[in-house]
Amino acid sequence: MISRREFLAAAASLTSVPLYAKEGDGRFDLVIKGGRVIDPSRGVDRIVDVAIARRRIALVASNLTAAEVVDASGKLVLPGLIDIHTHAVRGRDDARACLADGVTSLIDAGSRGSDNIDEGVEVAKRAPNRMRLLINISRTGNDQQNGELNDLTKVDTTATRKAIERHRGVVVGIKVRVSDFVAGKNDLPALRLAQQVAAPLNVPIMVHMGQSLSPLADLLSVLKRGDIVTHPYSPGPNGIFDDEGRLSPAVLDARKRGILFDVGNGLNKHITWDIAERAMKQGLTPDTISSDWVPAGRTEQIFNLGTVMSKFLMLGMPLASVIACVTSNAAKAIPAFKGLGTLAVGAPAELAIMELQQGSFEFVDNDHAKRIGSQRLVTTRVIGGGKT
Ligand SMILES: [Zn+2]
């Protein structure tokens, strides 16, 4: 015969079937209550509580309590967002601004090269969230004035390799920009040199495509599994479509080989509604949604990662897929982010609480074309800084 107390405990457990683990006896530090939890890493989309203990996810189940409770009813509760393409290393407070947007982990993609990487690493270490760097294959880092690859002597493979080895865990890959204004005829040679450094170290390359002199197929042929193409929805020349407007077979082949496609919204010549829409209709949905965040983007086009996510809702991507692109997919794309982008028990307690607003919202592409969407994702609270 069971006691009334045992009966009540058993009844309670029926209504709080844990999604991930058995309920432990430890007490929770914080419970996020009543939100719609979307965790694409586990295929979860339901209204449920999330408990945190010792800065880790402790349990995802119903009817949880703790001394500190965050009411998330009516809101989305998501793993902390991951933005794999920003330029947030340039300003002292840029990473902090991204954190307020819900971005607990981010990549600065190529703002610094081997000449100035040490300073970039210091900025990353001081950031309140988890900032990692892709080192530019040019010694100078991104050079908006002259183009960092206008002269191939700016590529120092030894210095780049040493910088990655010196800053293992912080410098986690290589960035190469191959647009004509950056590299001219040096696009393909620079990319090959980057791969000579990246492949033996087993780190990814992120290649900034669009308006290159070399055909895209030639550039893609240099990439290995796990490398990332950013700005795939760039206008030509040498974009993703053939002359008939069909997705180039080289792009489909690259995806089959395990090469990833990252949005990289940016401000200039990286995305138009028309190209993104046509590409997605032909199957080129993004693996990751990133902002290509720069401070100037705070007040136009980009604003924040939530706005960029909202653009893809407007383009017809399902909500869970959009969220996967900034959580589980983003964590897979960057090996240094393994184990993030999930609310699995034991994962770091990093969450973004967002509102999915309904209404009429204007979004702007890089051609300043406006479109109206009916939904907008706005971050209302961030839990955990993502600092390790
Ligand atoms: Zn960029």
Side-chain angles (χ1 to χ4, degrees):
M1 195 171 151
I2 62 168
S3 71
R4 178 174 163 77
R5 196 175 180 183
E6 282 165 339
F7 171 78
L8 287 176
S13 75
L14 286 178
T15 57
S16 63
V17 177
L19 286 172
Y20 302 133
K22 291 209 168 77
E23 190 157 3
D25 26 282
R27 292 185 27 230
F28 307 131
D29 300 323
L30 174 74
V31 166
I32 302 159
K33 270 201 98 60
R36 177 178 169 192
V37 174
I38 304 184
D39 178 6
S41 78
R42 302 287 172 131
V44 171
D45 181 351
R46 58 176 283 209
I47 292 175
V48 70
D49 303 339
V50 180
I52 293 167
R54 292 176 295 280
R55 298 186 180 194
R56 302 262 158 193
I57 303 295
L59 189 64
V60 179
S62 298
N63 303 319
L64 301 181
T65 52
E68 197 184 345
V69 171
V70 170
D71 178 11
S73 47
K75 303 214 165 62
L76 307 184
V77 177
L78 315 174
L81 309 183
I82 302 172
D83 192 340
I84 74 162
H85 184 169
T86 76
H87 295 282
V89 86
R90 293 170 182 167
R92 224 156 253 269
D93 295 319
D94 291 358
R96 187 172 299 279
C98 294
L99 178 59
D101 298 337
V103 176
T104 50
S105 302
L106 70 166
I107 294 282
D108 180 282
S111 302
R112 298 287 178 261
S114 55
D115 281 356
N116 46 23
I117 194 72
D118 293 357
E119 174 260 348
V121 167
E122 282 313 304
V123 173
K125 285 181 177 168
R126 283 197 305 268
N129 37 8
R130 183 183 296 101
M131 188 197 272
R132 303 291 182 255
L133 310 176
L134 301 182
I135 186 170
N136 200 300
I137 194 58
S138 167
R139 291 192 280 105
T140 66
N142 272 21
D143 181 343
Q144 296 300 119
Q145 263 75 49
N146 311 301
E148 65 269 17
L149 293 171
N150 61 353
D151 174 355
L152 258 193
T153 64
K154 290 179 181 166
V155 175
D156 184 336
T157 52
T158 305
T160 306
R161 179 175 51 76
K162 285 187 174 164
I164 296 171
E165 287 170 343
R166 189 163 70 248
H167 299 298
R168 275 272 185 201
V170 180
V171 177
V172 298
I174 300 178
K175 176 80 181 294
V176 188
R177 298 200 299 169
V178 294
S179 297
D180 188 12
F181 84 95
V182 177
K185 62 180 174 22
N186 295 328
D187 54 2
L188 203 46
L191 186 55
R192 288 199 184 107
L193 288 168
Q195 196 63 284
Q196 282 175 23
V197 180
L201 293 173
N202 200 23
V203 295
I205 289 179
M206 177 185 278
V207 59
H208 153 135
M209 68 158 282
Q211 307 99 41
S212 58
L213 285 188
S214 294
L216 181 58
D218 294 357
L219 297 164
L220 291 173
S221 73
V222 180
L223 301 184
K224 64 185 181 301
R225 170 173 292 276
D227 285 345
I228 301 160
V229 175
T230 192
H231 315 311
Y233 308 129
S234 290
N238 288 317
I240 54 174
F241 297 117
D242 65 18
D243 293 342
E244 275 79 52
R246 283 181 309 235
L247 208 51
S248 147
V251 170
L252 297 168
D253 173 65
R255 174 159 269 185
K256 264 190 222 134
R257 288 195 292 125
I259 288 153
L260 304 171
F261 291 85
D262 168 62
V263 169
N265 190 107
L267 294 173
N268 217 346
K269 293 192 172 176
H270 296 330
I271 182 168
T272 72
W273 303 134
D274 173 59
I275 295 173
E277 199 163 55
R278 280 196 291 139
M280 286 166 68
K281 265 191 195 132
Q282 293 182 53
L284 192 69
T285 50
D287 293 294
T288 53
I289 295 176
S290 67
S291 62
D292 194 5
W293 192 95
V294 286
R298 272 329 251 182
T299 51
E300 61 155 331
Q301 293 189 49
I302 302 171
F303 299 97
N304 48 55
L305 190 57
T307 302
V308 182
M309 293 163 70
S310 307
K311 293 176 183 186
F312 284 82
L313 291 178
M314 182 187 71
L315 290 168
M317 257 179 105
L319 178 62
S321 305
V322 167
I323 292 166
C325 284
V326 293
T327 58
S328 50
N329 290 6
K332 262 186 233 150
I334 303 293
F337 287 164
K338 192 168 186 240
L340 303 176
T342 177
L343 298 178
V345 166
E350 298 166 9
L351 301 96
I353 301 182
M354 299 185 95
E355 235 171 55
L356 181 60
Q357 301 177 344
Q358 310 290 330
S360 178
F361 307 105
E362 184 181 274
F363 300 106
V364 180
D365 73 6
N366 288 175
D367 274 349
H368 301 281
K370 293 170 180 160
R371 284 205 188 178
I372 304 293
S374 61
Q375 293 182 309
R376 182 171 66 178
L377 285 159
V378 176
T379 302
T380 58
R381 186 154 180 172
V382 189
I383 311 276
K387 191 70 194 173
T388 53

